[in-house]
Amino acid sequence: MTTRTAYGLNLDLIKEKLAWKKEQAQGRAESLFDVFDQPLSEQEEQLLQFLYAYMPLHDLADYDGAFFLQHIRQVLQVQAEMPWGSHIPADIFVNYVLPYRVNNENIDQSRSVIYKELADRVQHLSMTNAILETNYWCHERATYIGTDIRTVSPLTIMRTALGRCGEQSTLTVTALRSVGIPARQCYTPRWAHCDSNHAWVEAWADGKWYFLGACEPEPILDEGWFRLPAKRAMLVHTRVFADYNGPEEVTTTHPWYTEINLLDHYASVKSIHVNTVNEAGEPVVAEVQFQLYNSAEFYPLTSLMTDDHGRASLTTGYGDLLIHARTSSSWGTAFIDTRHSSEFKVVLKYQTQSAYTSSLTTEKNKALFTEEWKMTPPVAPAIDSGIKLDEPIIEQHTQRIKAGTAIRTAFEQTFVDQEQAQHDAEAWQLPVDRVGHILQTAKGNGQEIATFINECSASERELGLRLLESLRLKDLTDTCRAVLQDHLQGALLLNQPTEDMAKDWDAYVLCPRVHFEMLTPYRAYFSKQWSKVQQDQFRSDPMQLAAVLEQELIINDDVDRYTGMATPAKAHQLGTTDSVSRDIVFVAAARSLGIFARLEPLNAMPQYQVQGVWHSVQWSKDQSISEETDTLTSSASNTGNIIFTRTVDSSEVVAEYQHNFTVAILEKGHYRTLDIPYGEKDVYDQPYTVLAGEYRLTTGTRLEDGSVLGTFVYFTVEPEQEVAVELVFRTEQQPIPILLEKLPENLQHQLHNVQTKNTAVDVTSGSILAWLEPEREPTKHLLRELAELRVELESWTGDICLLIADPSEQAVVTLDPLPAQSHIEIDPHHQSLSQWSELLPSLNGDQLPVVIVVDQQNRVRYSLQGYKLGTGKELLRVVHQMNHEG
């Protein structure tokens, strides 16, 4: 008989999983598990066992038992103090209040810090009002910015007042849980209709889940700018660090976590069924990936194993998917349209390489097989305003948004400014521009960085500044001086480089950043792990270091949802980690000993440098490389080059990596996209060094309705071979419609007044009008796209008018990175927008931003309402075609 805890947990299963985790964590057993020797209540002990049982390996590596026990006691105390604590069902509590992490963020003491700030504001409210109030608090603490994929901790978001949507939702979920309200991060892994993704929050109140935009408060729940785009999603899901037995559909069942399908909360859905068979038509048990085109690659929304009958089912939206199924020795793909069928078959063929090509057969190195396809997303929903609210409620909400912005702005004024940075730089006798960039980039962490530099001796400060400059920009916002001191002092013990080698030494020895792990001290640790004799041997032959690490580390890639999260020293101390974290350990240990090391840019393979040549470490029986090896080897020759060439038909298309093309290598029946820098445009006629293997080039052209015209090109790269591959972009003639033949006289007059205010434009080139909400994420996306296209839009010379509802919003819009002809106009309460909306049936409700393009003849040629990534490029296409029309 199964033993159940007071929370309904399977105690037998928990103890079984806990015992396994203890075996993996013997290297840190004392710091992790001695906590069980303390006096614990039965409740504390069971919850502690539960957390450990489902804990990622990297958390076993990086945190101590005292942290987890303190967390549990904090949670139980909050449950007792908050009025709703006793009303939350046990399964909701353990899955959505108890967890100490939301996703893959760095863990800190944020729950207790936020509770002290927030508890008094919410404990007298109903649960729904407490959720709304919590989001107002989050708005006071952070706003949106696009950053790299590393997810910083909630306290770092609060310290910098900035975060991308995944970080904002992490903060909001943490804040809600800190006051005992069940919450979860929800996300569409990729949008179907545009090239991005999004994360938001669901919160539980009185028996029901509600959604809300993180750090973007609304006066009611179940509202947010993403409400309409979510109707076009093909999957929305959340993650639970447990075996889940709730009512919602499970998309991924894993021994250590569960992913739950929430799409039916947002969109029209249907169940589809995939049958995997071999070439004889017999059922095959296989992994099935449901892939969606986004950012020029096919991204797996989720993966399911078929049953013994070769069948897997998923609830999804009404759009196109690519099904990719594989076993250990076979694989197959199929494009599917869920609008017209529910049953689909994928034939798996026994092969280790592409079915379409084994070599390049023409003088021009053209691939043997090219496949064209089209992907169509769910149709766009009709635009509506949602629930109508009374004017007093709207006004109160508007005032609260302004007040929250003012609170956050006042906090930002405490950051290190240019004057302080100049004063500090002069005192340290360091270049003002370099110091100013570092301290101001650090935001709320600027004083910590300044203290680090100040504590350096005069002879150390230049190297300390170079250390800071070697980091990624986000690292400056959350790296403390204890970490920096470890890396500086460790670097000072090494032989300093000659002037001609300084740049590479800074990047591959001095820099502590390897991948996307949290930055921690590790140089002092690794310098003590091996004798001086061993260290000298490692420097002479870095493969000896790799051999030692292979003996010291057990690799398990089947536990953690995210690999590469463990910090180097702690992963080594634990003794068990994932393969990416092992690679990071190698690079970190090598750099600690003065060995030039890195993760190779395109494939993230660990490498070391000898006499200017990079050598890749190929671990024995490594699952991350295309061919399994029996021994640990080093390779500098199992590579070739890809050269991208331009076709005549594509001469006007700007090739941009992960915007309209990607390249993927076939590994064990799955295509893995190469890590060419995101957005790289200078790609033609330069060699990209890649592993030998089978490749697939994906090119795609996103059309205005969100569909994609695409092409696959399959080719082979042999060792030491250079392969030329043409980038072919399919296009579809899309004439610019005339949405309104002629503006009424009053709007012509209004537009003329706006244009004549802007002396930087040619009024005969037309106008772009954009009504904005500067504090909202969609507006921030639009402004960023306009900034990225600054040069191209300036060549157009037309007017770009940004209309805001209130003068107080003007400070939020920074004109400097925008095209030179951009200017801000105040449109009180966006009153003029209603006049345009009456003329354009496509505009409805109050969803913002709204973008309208008017040509030289006062005709409306384009209008868009609401969120759509890629609007900037659409605008560029429209205005250029207007120019061609004359």
Side-chain angles (χ1 to χ4, degrees):
M1 179 180 291
T2 301
T3 305
R4 296 283 177 181
T5 71
Y7 292 94
L9 301 171
N10 185 333
L11 189 58
D12 299 327
L13 181 60
I14 288 173
K15 289 186 175 180
E16 177 185 327
K17 291 177 180 288
L18 176 60
W20 187 88
K21 289 286 178 66
K22 286 184 175 180
E23 288 182 14
Q24 310 312 306
Q26 293 180 26
R28 301 193 70 236
E30 182 177 341
S31 58
L32 282 168
F33 303 115
D34 278 5
V35 69
F36 284 104
D37 296 333
Q38 296 185 28
L40 303 173
S41 68
E42 182 180 14
Q43 187 181 35
E44 290 172 344
E45 183 173 14
Q46 289 181 351
L47 292 179
L48 194 58
Q49 290 174 337
F50 171 73
L51 289 185
Y52 274 119
Y54 293 97
M55 188 176 294
L57 286 176
H58 57 80
D59 286 349
L60 290 172
D62 288 330
Y63 305 97
D64 295 337
F67 171 84
F68 300 115
L69 178 58
Q70 180 187 9
H71 170 80
I72 287 171
R73 288 175 171 169
Q74 167 77 10
V75 170
L76 293 175
Q77 180 183 343
V78 171
Q79 183 187 34
E81 292 178 354
M82 302 309 287
W84 44 77
S86 60
H87 303 142
I88 298 172
D91 61 325
I92 297 290
F93 173 82
V94 296
N95 287 324
Y96 303 113
V97 178
L98 175 66
Y100 58 89
R101 69 163 52 253
V102 177
N103 201 327
N104 62 338
E105 73 278 13
N106 298 340
I107 303 303
D108 56 25
Q109 299 289 344
S110 56
R111 292 275 282 262
S112 58
V113 172
I114 294 172
Y115 178 78
K116 291 175 183 176
E117 290 199 21
L118 193 54
D120 288 344
R121 286 176 61 162
V122 301
Q123 61 185 358
H124 63 285
L125 302 174
S126 67
M127 284 192 80
T128 53
N129 284 335
I131 294 167
L132 294 171
E133 184 63 29
T134 297
N135 210 16
Y136 280 118
W137 177 88
C138 291
H139 169 68
E140 296 166 10
R141 303 313 302 256
T143 189
Y144 176 81
I145 188 173
T147 61
D148 69 39
I149 64 173
R150 181 169 72 89
T151 304
V152 299
S153 72
L155 289 185
T156 296
I157 301 168
M158 294 163 61
R159 187 184 305 118
T160 61
L162 295 169
R164 54 180 171 78
C165 64
E167 293 166 328
Q168 289 178 303
S169 54
T170 295
L171 171 63
T172 305
V173 170
T174 301
L176 289 163
R177 290 178 180 177
S178 75
V179 292
I181 296 175
R184 58 194 184 189
Q185 182 187 55
C186 306
Y187 44 99
T188 177
R190 293 292 188 272
W191 292 115
H193 65 287
C194 64
D195 297 312
S196 183
N197 61 358
H198 190 54
W200 59 88
V201 174
E202 285 189 350
W204 185 94
D206 305 317
K208 181 182 177 181
W209 286 102
Y210 299 88
F211 68 80
L212 58 150
C215 303
E216 295 184 326
E218 300 284 352
I220 58 172
L221 296 174
D222 283 349
E223 187 55 84
W225 61 262
F226 55 88
R227 175 175 58 85
L228 293 176
K231 292 180 182 294
R232 305 185 74 181
M234 294 295 284
L235 182 68
V236 174
H237 62 175
T238 192
R239 187 171 301 118
V240 174
F241 295 96
D243 289 290
Y244 181 76
N245 294 311
E248 293 150 319
E249 176 184 321
V250 170
T251 60
T252 300
T253 301
H254 193 276
W256 310 106
Y257 59 86
T258 308
E259 291 182 348
I260 302 166
N261 193 346
L262 306 176
L263 184 62
D264 62 355
H265 295 197
Y266 303 93
S268 298
V269 299
K270 68 180 298 185
S271 293
I272 63 171
H273 313 283
V274 174
N275 298 279
T276 52
V277 299
N278 60 22
E279 293 179 86
E282 301 164 333
V284 175
V285 177
E287 177 198 29
V288 175
Q289 293 186 350
F290 297 81
Q291 297 184 350
L292 181 70
Y293 177 91
N294 188 287
S295 300
E297 66 175 346
F298 279 88
Y299 183 88
L301 297 178
T302 190
S303 299
L304 296 173
M305 292 300 298
T306 60
D307 60 21
D308 292 339
H309 304 287
R311 189 173 175 85
S313 302
L314 177 71
T315 299
T316 186
Y318 289 79
D320 292 347
L321 294 170
L322 175 64
I323 304 300
H324 188 111
R326 62 174 176 171
T327 69
S328 60
S329 57
S330 63
W331 65 277
T333 63
F335 285 96
I336 68 170
D337 178 354
T338 68
R339 290 173 292 272
H340 301 122
S341 181
S342 299
E343 294 284 340
F344 305 97
K345 181 172 69 174
V346 182
V347 179
L348 280 69
K349 298 181 180 180
Y350 286 89
Q351 54 201 8
T352 57
Q353 60 184 26
S354 167
Y356 310 115
T357 179
S358 59
S359 63
L360 300 173
T361 58
T362 70
E363 292 182 2
K364 293 185 178 180
N365 287 328
K366 290 186 177 179
L368 181 64
F369 186 83
T370 298
E371 181 181 9
E372 294 186 344
W373 43 265
K374 182 176 182 179
M375 298 290 288
T376 304
V379 297
I383 295 174
D384 66 81
S385 300
I387 298 173
K388 294 293 184 182
L389 299 174
D390 295 336
E391 193 61 37
I393 294 175
I394 296 174
E395 180 59 27
Q396 181 186 38
H397 172 68
T398 301
Q399 293 306 316
R400 294 213 62 183
I401 292 294
K402 290 180 180 179
T405 301
I407 291 170
R408 188 175 64 250
T409 302
F411 172 66
E412 292 171 340
Q413 297 302 314
T414 67
F415 296 171
V416 174
D417 58 18
Q418 187 174 0
E419 182 179 354
Q420 181 184 340
Q422 180 175 345
H423 176 272
D424 289 344
E426 291 171 351
W428 299 326
Q429 296 184 317
L430 293 173
V432 172
D433 57 339
R434 292 167 63 192
V435 171
H437 174 70
I438 292 293
L439 295 185
Q440 292 181 279
T441 300
K443 306 294 183 183
N445 199 46
Q447 198 56 57
E448 180 78 359
I449 300 296
T451 302
F452 160 71
I453 301 175
N454 194 58
E455 290 176 348
C456 293
S457 67
S459 62
E460 296 171 345
R461 282 182 183 146
E462 171 61 27
L463 185 59
L465 181 57
R466 284 164 51 194
L467 170 64
L468 292 167
E469 290 172 330
S470 76
L471 303 177
R472 296 194 183 121
L473 297 181
K474 184 181 279 189
D475 294 333
L476 297 171
T477 68
D478 67 348
T479 303
C480 66
R481 60 185 187 274
V483 173
L484 296 168
Q485 277 293 344
D486 169 83
H487 291 286
L488 176 63
Q489 296 307 315
L492 287 167
L493 297 175
L494 303 173
N495 293 328
Q496 298 302 299
T498 58
E499 186 175 345
D500 62 321
M501 291 292 292
K503 184 177 179 180
D504 281 353
W505 190 85
D506 287 1
Y508 304 123
V509 176
L510 176 64
C511 180
R513 162 66 58 210
V514 179
H515 197 45
F516 291 104
E517 74 286 358
M518 180 172 64
L519 286 188
T520 55
Y522 60 70
R523 291 185 196 260
Y525 171 85
F526 284 121
S527 68
K528 297 175 183 176
Q529 292 307 301
W530 306 287
S531 68
K532 186 178 183 303
V533 172
Q534 282 181 297
Q535 292 182 32
D536 289 340
Q537 292 172 342
F538 296 161
R539 294 184 187 100
S540 299
D541 180 9
M543 282 304 299
Q544 293 191 41
L545 171 61
V548 168
L549 291 175
E550 182 143 55
Q551 294 299 314
E552 293 177 341
L553 293 173
I554 298 170
I555 304 306
N556 193 320
D557 285 327
D558 297 325
V559 178
D560 296 353
R561 172 62 179 81
Y562 295 100
T563 57
M565 290 276 297
T567 60
K570 293 292 188 178
H572 184 262
Q573 186 182 51
L574 187 72
T576 303
T577 193
D578 62 86
S579 57
V580 178
S581 293
R582 172 207 53 201
D583 296 347
I584 293 170
V585 170
F586 170 80
V587 173
R591 290 182 183 178
S592 299
L593 303 179
I595 300 167
F596 285 60
R598 68 176 186 179
L599 295 185
E600 182 269 333
L602 301 189
N603 298 281
M605 294 183 66
Q607 291 187 322
Y608 60 90
Q609 192 182 93
V610 176
Q611 296 181 343
V613 177
W614 287 105
H615 297 258
S616 297
V617 176
Q618 295 185 350
W619 310 95
S620 62
K621 301 188 182 302
D622 195 336
Q623 301 301 307
S624 65
I625 58 176
S626 53
E627 293 187 9
E628 198 172 271
T629 58
D630 294 323
T631 58
L632 182 65
T633 61
S634 170
S635 173
S637 59
N638 189 35
T639 60
N641 288 327
I642 298 175
I643 301 282
F644 298 115
T645 62
R646 188 194 310 262
T647 65
V648 174
D649 292 340
S650 301
S651 59
E652 293 187 2
V653 178
V654 177
E656 186 174 345
Y657 199 73
Q658 289 202 310
H659 167 66
N660 54 12
F661 87 99
T662 56
V663 182
I665 185 172
L666 182 66
E667 294 179 337
K668 298 186 180 298
H670 171 69
Y671 281 103
R672 176 180 62 79
T673 301
L674 301 187
D675 293 328
I676 294 174
Y678 179 86
E680 186 158 305
K681 297 179 182 179
D682 186 20
V683 299
Y684 289 116
D685 302 322
Q686 63 168 305
Y688 286 88
T689 302
V690 299
L691 297 172
E694 299 289 329
Y695 284 86
R696 184 180 74 188
L697 168 70
T698 300
T699 61
T701 302
R702 180 78 71 174
L703 305 181
E704 191 172 335
D705 67 353
S707 59
V708 179
L709 295 176
T711 305
F712 286 152
V713 181
Y714 299 88
F715 60 96
T716 303
V717 176
E718 302 289 352
E720 301 183 16
Q721 180 188 26
E722 189 169 272
V723 179
V725 183
E726 288 183 341
L727 292 181
V728 179
F729 298 100
R730 296 169 60 199
T731 58
E732 186 176 271
Q733 289 297 324
Q734 293 180 288
I736 309 172
I738 299 174
L739 304 180
L740 186 67
E741 281 287 353
K742 192 171 185 180
L743 287 177
E745 291 292 333
N746 65 319
L747 290 184
Q748 286 189 45
H749 180 70
Q750 182 186 111
L751 185 59
H752 177 73
N753 286 341
V754 168
Q755 291 175 332
T756 54
K757 288 181 183 179
N758 189 1
T759 58
V761 304
D762 176 2
V763 296
T764 65
S765 295
S767 294
I768 295 173
L769 302 168
W771 284 264
L772 308 177
E773 286 180 300
E775 278 293 310
R776 303 294 293 272
E777 186 173 332
T779 287
K780 291 178 183 290
H781 272 298
L782 175 61
L783 293 174
R784 187 172 66 180
E785 291 183 23
L786 295 178
E788 290 171 350
L789 295 168
R790 175 172 184 152
V791 174
E792 294 91 335
L793 286 168
E794 286 179 348
S795 69
W796 163 58
T797 73
D799 184 49
I800 301 176
C801 181
L802 310 175
L803 296 115
I804 58 178
D806 190 282
S808 65
E809 297 175 329
Q810 197 160 352
V812 183
V813 182
T814 306
L815 287 175
D816 179 48
L818 297 174
Q821 67 266 48
S822 305
H823 61 109
I824 298 172
E825 294 293 329
I826 309 301
D827 180 19
H829 306 292
H830 290 319
Q831 291 174 350
S832 71
L833 181 57
S834 61
Q835 301 176 55
W836 293 81
S837 298
E838 290 172 3
L839 299 169
L840 298 168
S842 60
L843 303 181
N844 180 30
D846 56 5
Q847 289 276 322
L848 294 176
V850 168
V851 183
I852 294 174
V853 178
V854 180
D855 68 11
Q856 303 92 321
Q857 288 79 44
N858 287 312
R859 300 175 299 181
V860 176
R861 309 301 300 274
Y862 177 89
S863 71
L864 177 74
Q865 181 168 28
Y867 173 86
K868 187 178 181 183
L869 202 70
T871 300
K873 288 186 170 66
E874 284 189 5
L875 292 173
L876 189 63
R877 178 182 64 84
V878 169
V879 298
H880 279 174
Q881 283 190 237
M882 281 165 36
N883 275 2
H884 290 319
E885 291 176 355

